[in-house]
């Protein structure tokens, strides 16, 4: 098998580009959000949402101590309940990868590092690539990069393609998630196009937002990206993952995203290999809802550990 | 047996959905028909006007973007709240102007009437223009923005409602100066608005001295239109001249209610689009 | 990997109380029929009997028309602003009792609860709200003329949107000062009878709204009644023609909203994923039992294959089943008779050589059901491209140029609605100018709003419902 050329890949993005009608996409997302998920199917979804979670801390005040606490939450979200699974990954800044890796040793939880001048992406490419390399060297299993929105909005698709494909290359087999920062792209047409360019450049997952700007992830955005993933798979046979992140705090929101993925991409995407939710406070709400399902009582936030 | 001591109301401004006192800390005495003391009304300052304009500007985009149906229901809800609080409205009007029942009826019905205009104003006042060429061409009214309203001094309640309702109907956010002499019914009305799903800041009602406040409102550059129905005499000329600074629309009420009262608070937009394969 | 199955999420039915039997609602009271006859009304999803409803015979019809005539004097001379307030009250009570009404609508008609809850009932309330506002503003609807009510309006409505069609008929009629006798369809009488209760709750003067029940014979007696001034009918073109003949020479004012065979035209530059949603909504909304359904898909050849792939995949995600389940997309067919008609015409399609596609789906044992169906390889001369099926059946044809699309779209006796899907605004307007249809949707389909007029060209009928134009059906214009 030969690697497709850049021209070929960008041509593919052009061909699949198409347009998105905003009113229609939003109406479809709103319709899907009225799905009523109950009983067993809700329990299954809540548990899946935990397994798909990238437990995230991306604050200036993050310290190794904070990351160790979070790692324990990632491995055992509900210390008293061994039935609750671990989350998929712990997502941190590069400087904290080592601490995370040590704290998670022996668990199934992956270390994901944001890299490449997160969240703006406004550094020279060689520095961004070096940041990826060092995060990998420190033990990161997954890398969350951002595209250059400035270049993309200026029409420089080639540069975006180049950045993503070089990042995938230097990540050397580590799972690369590419953040489009959809809240800065302005239209669903552009979100679709950016999704296709990132996929054509070889990213393993496309991701909505850094969580640092508003609007972050929205349901119609996830829908449009899921549709792009589906069309890309039809055209190339390659299955790309989806990560939604930013502002997802409630179990209700998480389930709405799962419904969109389920009804757009199918059951094959309902796994941490192909779907992730980046969040910091979501896990406790998922735990509360699980307890509500089991006991029938509404719970109290103080019963869930804050790390 | 001692008589129960009544709790008296503090009359405040209605600003951004809240009921603050004037930032100036001032108030003025309001007297009844027989000259008796009724209450101290807040005496708004130029800074209160500034704050009210800021609140209106912030509230405006949401109100203008609300569907016509939604705005209609909010106006109708105002009528519902006025009807249930009509005892309060009547009492406030009665102690300054005497017989109040008819005035309150008319005030409520004004909101019902304009509730029905929100989703019809475009149909009646806009339309397709048959231009000579392969173009689709349509004209429709749009909200002007932030409007100042100086209603007539009396009848205190209907004068106010007959200006607030069409301004709301047209999707504007307003800063309203209450009757200086009879400000208390305006605050009773504000309490209806505040409990009627009207988003905070869409209507702001200030009480105070008109000769102090009107020039500030008229010269404020972030006010898009000013209704001078209640401005009298020499001050009219002054206000109209001040309005020119940012080309404010200057509006006065006509004798009859109707769609033109609404479009007075609106701007017409025309859109062209080609038709072709 | 496991499959994620949604657990059943049925809407509770306890909020609805259905009586064992009903009377006709005449002169502000539920009265037993002179006919002494009743018929059973069922839930088409379960075939369970819900209630017994009277058959109005000619004497019952006469009683209802007399009650309406009696009420006309005071109602039409009431201050328009006060009339408005009654209509506003109706709108508000429908909003208050919306969930109850939606559940009842779904139980009696078979439509998915998500549609009755999110579309039918909210729109019905909005319709009353909109026309309430017109009651005291008629001089702006008809400049230079005085709009007077006609008198007694006879209104016969279909079973596909029972409450919404009631609203379309009654709201403009009573807002303009008419009184009405309305006959709901024989398979779906229950929300109309609940509406009668609402009329009582709001204190509407007796006789302004009268609801009588029965099948075709009752409808015929009603429209024929000599003291009726206005007839409004929504239903099949066949019955519409009968009514038009019947009314010849009577001076009764008539509006007809009849059948359709709408073309949904997809150009190659269309936003395809949203077009797929529009096609699905166009033909599977209310199981395709919609007069303006987008039952003919005209797709540009260059994207036909791609679009059909997407459409077929989407069909596989449609959830058919219990209409009361909040996750149901496709509910029950309204009646056995309608199901038989759909089956017959689908059989004709297969015989004529069109290729049939149906996604795998489980059909419940009881009740009336038909799976979402697509016919490809259809040509203009096929009966499934010409006749209204009134079911979840889409006939797919292709075209190459705009002219061809217009020609094919217009090539039917009907002219109710049409759809256009393209990113190019000027093409939308060019096409809209040429399509012979009363409603043209661009990059959307099956949208309704009280402010927007609806009605057909050609054999789809005449007169408009909704909007300012909807008032015309209920007034005579005289010199001021």
């Amino acid at each position: 098998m030969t690697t497709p050329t850049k021209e070929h890949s960008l041509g593919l993005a052009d061909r699949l580009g198409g347009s998105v009608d905003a009113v229609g996409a939003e109406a479809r997302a709103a319709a899907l959000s009225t799905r009523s998920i109950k009983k067993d199917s809700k329990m299954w979804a809540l548990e899946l949402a935990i397994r798909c979670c990238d437990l995230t801390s991306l604050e200036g005040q993050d310290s190794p101590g904070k990351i160790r606490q979070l790692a324990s939450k990632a491995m055992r979200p509900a210390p008293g309940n061994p039935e609750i699974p671990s989350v998929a990954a712990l997502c941190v800044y590069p400087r904290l990868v080592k601490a995370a890796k040590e704290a998670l040793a022996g668990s199934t939880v992956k270390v994901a590092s944001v890299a490449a001048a997160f969240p703006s992406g406004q550094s020279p490419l060689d520095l961004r690539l070096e940041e990826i390399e060092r995060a990998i060297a420190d033990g990161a299993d997954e890398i969350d990069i951002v595209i250059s929105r400035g270049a993309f909005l200026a029409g420089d698709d080639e540069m975006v393609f180049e950045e993503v494909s070089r990042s995938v290359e230097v990540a050397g087999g580590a799972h690369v998630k590419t953040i489009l920062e959809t809240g800065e792209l302005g239209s669903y047409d552009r979100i679709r196009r950016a999704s296709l360019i990132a996929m054509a450049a070889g990213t393993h997952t496309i991701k909505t937002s850094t969580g640092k700007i508003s609007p972050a992830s929205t349901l119609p955005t996830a829908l449009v990206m899921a549709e792009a993933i589906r069309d890309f798979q039809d055209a190339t046979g390659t299955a790309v993952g989806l990560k939604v992140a930013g502002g997802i705090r409630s179990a209700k929101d998480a389930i709405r995203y799962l419904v969109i993925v389920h009804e757009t991409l199918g059951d094959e995407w309902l796994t941490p290999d192909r779907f992730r939710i980046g969040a910091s406070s979501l896990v406790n709400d998922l735990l509360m809802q699980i307890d509500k399902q089991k006991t029938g009582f509404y719970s109290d936030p103080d019963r869930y550990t804050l790390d | 047996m001692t008589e129960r001591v009544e709790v008296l109301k503090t009359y405040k401004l209605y600003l951004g959905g809240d009921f603050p006192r004037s930032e100036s800390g001032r108030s003025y005495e309001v007297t009844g028909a027989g000259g008796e003391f009724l209450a101290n009304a807040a005496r708004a300052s130029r800074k209160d006007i500034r704050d009210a304009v800021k609140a209106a500007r912030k509230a405006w985009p949401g109100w203008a973007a609300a569907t016509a149906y939604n705005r209609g229901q909010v106006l109708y809800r105002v009528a519902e709240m006025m009807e249930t609080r009509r005892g309060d409205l009547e009492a406030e009007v009665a102690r300054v102007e005497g017989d109040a029942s008819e005035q309150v009826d008319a005030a409520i019905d004004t909101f019902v009437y304009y509730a029905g205009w929100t989703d019809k104003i475009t149909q009646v006042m806009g339309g397709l223009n048959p231009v000579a060429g392969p173009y689709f061409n349509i004209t429709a009214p749009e909200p002007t923005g932030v409007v100042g309203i100086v209603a007539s001094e009396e009848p205190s309640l209907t004068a106010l409602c007959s200006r607030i309702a069409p301004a709301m109907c047209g999707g504007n956010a307003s800063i309203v100066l209450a009757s200086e002499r009879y400000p208390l019914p305006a605050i009773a009305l504000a309490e209806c608005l505040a409990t009627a799903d009207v988003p905070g800041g869409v209507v702001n009602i200030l009480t105070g001295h008109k000769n102090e406040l009107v020039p500030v409102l008229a010269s404020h550059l972030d006010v898009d239109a000013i209704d001078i129905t209640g401005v009298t005499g020499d001050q009219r000329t002054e206000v109209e001249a001040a309005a020119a600074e940012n080309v404010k629309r200057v509006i006065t009420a006509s004798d009859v209610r109707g769609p033109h009262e609404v479009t007075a608070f609106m701007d017409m937009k025309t859109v062209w689009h080609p038709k072709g394969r | 990997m496991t499959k994620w199955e949604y657990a059943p999420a049925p809407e509770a039915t306890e909020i609805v109380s259905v009586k064992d039997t009903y009377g006709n609602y005449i002169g502000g009271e539920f009265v037993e029929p002179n006919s002494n006859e009743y018929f059973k009304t069922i839930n088409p999803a379960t075939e369970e009997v819900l209630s017994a409803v009277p058959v109005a015979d000619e004497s019952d019809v006469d009683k209802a028309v007399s009650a309406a005539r009696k009420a006309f004097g005071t109602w039409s001379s009431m201050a328009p602003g006060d009339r408005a307030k009654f209509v506003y009250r109706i709108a508000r009570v429908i909003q208050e009792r919306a969930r109850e009404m939606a559940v009842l609508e779904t139980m009696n008609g078979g439509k998915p609860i998500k549609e009755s809850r999110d579309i039918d009932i909210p729109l019905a309330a909005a319709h009353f709200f909109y026309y309430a506002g017109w009651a005291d503003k008629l001089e702006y609807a008809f400049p230079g003329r005085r709009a007077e009510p006609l008198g007694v309006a006879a209104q016969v409505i279909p079973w596909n949107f029972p409450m919404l069609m009631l609203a379309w008929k009654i709201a403009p009629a009573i807002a303009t000062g008419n009184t009405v006798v309305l006959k709901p369809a024989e398979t779906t009488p229950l929300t109309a009878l609940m509406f009668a209760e609402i009329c009582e709750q709001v204190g509407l003067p007796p006789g302004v709204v009268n609801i009588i029940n029965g099948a075709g014979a009752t409808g015929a007696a009603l429209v024929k009644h000599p003291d009726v001034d206005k007839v409004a009918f929504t239903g099949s073109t066949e019955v519409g023609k009968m009514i038009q003949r019947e009314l010849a020479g009577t001076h009764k004012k008539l509006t007809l909203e009849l059948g359709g065979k709408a073309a949904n035209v997809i150009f190659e530059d269309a936003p395809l994923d949203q077009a797929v949603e529009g096609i699905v909504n166009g033909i599977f909304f209310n199981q395709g039992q919609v007069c303006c359904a987008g039952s003919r898909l005209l797709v540009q050849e260059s994207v036909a294959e791609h679009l059909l792939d997407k459409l077929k995949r989407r069909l596989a995600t449609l959830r058919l089943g219990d209409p009361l389940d909040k996750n149901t997309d496709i509910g029950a067919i309204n009646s056995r008779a309608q199901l038989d008609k759909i089956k017959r015409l689908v059989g004709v399609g297969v015989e004529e050589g069109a290729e049939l596609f149906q996604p795998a789906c489980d059909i419940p044992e009881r009740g009336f059901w038909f799976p979402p169906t697509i016919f490809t390889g259809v040509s203009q001369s096929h009966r499934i491209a010409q006749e209204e099926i009134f079911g979840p059946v889409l006939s797919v044809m292709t075209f190459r140029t705009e002219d061809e699309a217009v020609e094919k779209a217009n090539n039917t006796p009907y002219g109710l609605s049409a759809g256009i899907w393209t990113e190019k605004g000027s093409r939308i307007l060019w096409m809209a100018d040429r399509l012979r249809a009363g409603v043209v949707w661009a990059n959307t389909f099956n949208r309704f709003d009280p402010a927007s007029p609806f009605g057909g060209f050609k054999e789809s009928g005449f007169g408009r419902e909704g909007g300012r134009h909807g008032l015309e059906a209920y007034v005579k214009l005289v010199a001021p």
Side-chain angles (χ1 to χ4, degrees), chain A residues 78-305:
Chain A
N81 184 355
E83 282 172 25
I84 300 295
S86 307
V87 303
L90 183 60
C91 184
V92 298
Y93 271 121
R95 226 162 55 84
L96 296 158
V97 166
K98 267 187 186 159
K101 191 73 185 173
E102 279 164 21
L104 292 168
S107 79
T108 56
V109 180
K110 303 272 202 298
V111 175
S113 172
V114 296
F118 178 94
S120 72
Q122 299 278 33
S123 301
L125 182 59
D126 50 348
L127 293 183
R128 283 186 277 157
L129 295 175
E130 194 188 327
E131 200 184 357
I132 296 171
E133 284 170 336
R134 287 177 58 174
I136 300 271
D138 283 352
D141 306 296
E142 304 179 351
I143 300 289
D144 288 27
I145 62 168
V146 291
I147 64 164
S148 293
R149 284 84 75 190
F152 176 73
L153 292 171
D156 197 348
D157 292 354
E158 285 196 26
M159 181 171 161
V160 176
F161 180 91
E162 192 75 27
E163 290 172 348
V164 176
S165 60
R166 293 283 302 281
S167 301
V168 171
E169 203 179 300
V170 301
H175 191 96
V176 175
K177 304 172 210 145
T178 301
I179 301 170
L180 310 178
E181 197 65 306
T182 51
E184 288 186 349
L185 300 186
S187 76
Y188 296 116
D189 286 343
R190 284 188 213 102
I191 290 169
R192 180 176 170 87
R193 185 168 178 77
S195 301
L196 291 165
I197 292 170
M199 288 189 284
T203 193
H204 306 104
T205 286
I206 50 174
K207 174 176 168 186
T208 53
S209 329
T210 60
K212 297 291 180 194
I213 73 133
S214 178
S217 194
T218 67
L219 294 168
T221 298
L223 173 69
V224 167
M225 290 170 68
E227 284 168 345
I229 289 170
R230 184 201 55 208
D231 292 348
F232 186 78
Q233 192 197 26
D234 282 352
T236 64
T238 303
V240 174
L242 176 67
K243 176 172 172 182
V244 294
I248 303 164
R249 292 185 190 90
S250 71
K252 195 176 199 174
D253 283 345
I255 290 176
R256 285 175 173 169
Y257 282 105
L258 286 173
V259 166
I260 283 185
V261 170
H262 179 229
E263 300 207 22
T264 310
L265 291 165
D267 288 299
E268 294 89 337
W269 261 260
L270 297 180
T271 143
D273 295 340
R274 292 199 188 169
F275 180 66
R276 294 285 178 87
I277 306 172
S280 41
S281 60
L282 171 66
V283 171
N284 274 0
D285 196 53
L286 292 168
L287 295 173
M288 271 176 77
Q289 298 308 319
I290 286 173
D291 287 347
K292 157 75 176 60
Q293 288 299 109
K294 281 186 185 155
T295 63
F297 307 131
Y298 291 105
S299 198
D300 155 16
D302 279 348
R303 291 167 184 269
Y304 303 89
T305 57

Side-chain angles (χ1 to χ4, degrees), chain C residues 314-375:
Chain C
R314 176 71 174 88
L315 252 55
T317 69
L318 289 173
R319 308 169 62 85
L320 178 144
D322 180 6
L324 282 166
D325 192 306
K326 288 172 251 185
N327 295 325
T328 291
D329 300 314
I330 309 275
I333 299 299
N334 185 263
S335 65
R336 184 177 298 284
Q338 187 56 30
L339 178 62
D340 290 345
K341 183 186 166 194
I342 296 167
K343 284 180 173 166
R344 194 176 69 245
L345 279 162
V346 167
V348 168
V350 173
E351 275 167 33
E352 284 178 329
E355 194 183 323
L356 174 128
F357 170 86
Q358 291 173 332
C361 66
D362 296 331
I363 302 286
E365 278 176 21
R366 288 179 67 83
F368 315 129
W369 308 92
F370 200 84
T373 301
I374 298 178
F375 275 116

